Amino acid sequence: MVGFNLRGSDAYAGYAMAAAGFLALAHTLKRGEHIRVTLFLDRFGGRFRRPLELWSHAAGTFFCGALAFFSARLVYVSRQFNDISQGNDATPLWIPQIAMAVGAIILLIAIADGLFSAIRGGARAATAGDEARRLE
């Protein structure tokens, strides 16, 4: 449109979208906008709800821990092998992968905070409906 081509701009746009997605995960979790199992948990009352909620928090923490670990490991391995993108920009891949790893680590911290809060008997996790009711 402007008469010149920036090499690798499509790759950088992809890197930016991945970074934005991963860096927003923790904030989205804390606002209650993630897909949750509350529909399932709301069906159980009384003595079954708390163990199921603790289990779901623990499972989420485990899987986010695995995501964070392997994301950080991917950055390390890409740096060790000097892995570069296949495009004509030849960007070292560990640079854009850092945003994914940082976002995954922040998500792990956020979900672990939710687990510890649930263990202490704190308030239940936020849901999208809670945010909507608060804004009314």
Side-chain angles (χ1 to χ4, degrees):
M1 199 160 82
V2 292
F4 64 93
N5 182 22
L6 293 174
R7 290 177 37 176
S9 59
D10 57 338
Y12 293 123
Y15 300 150
M17 286 187 288
F22 271 89
L23 291 172
L25 286 174
H27 178 70
T28 306
L29 174 74
K30 286 301 187 178
R31 289 192 44 140
E33 300 293 331
H34 277 229
I35 297 172
R36 295 179 177 260
V37 293
T38 54
L39 181 65
F40 179 72
L41 288 175
D42 287 341
R43 300 240 183 249
F44 292 94
R47 65 179 198 198
F48 290 119
R49 180 171 172 93
R50 179 158 169 75
L52 284 173
E53 192 165 339
L54 289 173
W55 180 86
S56 66
H57 275 94
T61 303
F62 172 78
F63 288 115
C64 286
L67 175 68
F69 173 78
F70 286 110
S71 295
R73 185 173 164 218
L74 178 67
V75 172
Y76 177 76
V77 169
S78 291
R79 177 78 170 111
Q80 290 295 86
F81 288 119
N82 197 25
D83 198 10
I84 60 171
S85 68
Q86 297 296 315
N88 54 2
D89 61 326
T91 301
L93 286 179
W94 65 271
I95 295 172
Q97 289 169 351
I98 286 176
M100 182 181 82
V102 168
I105 291 168
I106 294 171
L107 176 63
L108 172 62
I109 293 168
I111 201 160
D113 178 57
L115 173 63
F116 294 134
S117 177
I119 289 171
R120 286 190 313 262
R124 65 178 177 79
T127 62
D130 295 339
E131 182 67 21
R133 284 188 291 278
R134 187 183 67 80
L135 294 175
E136 290 176 346

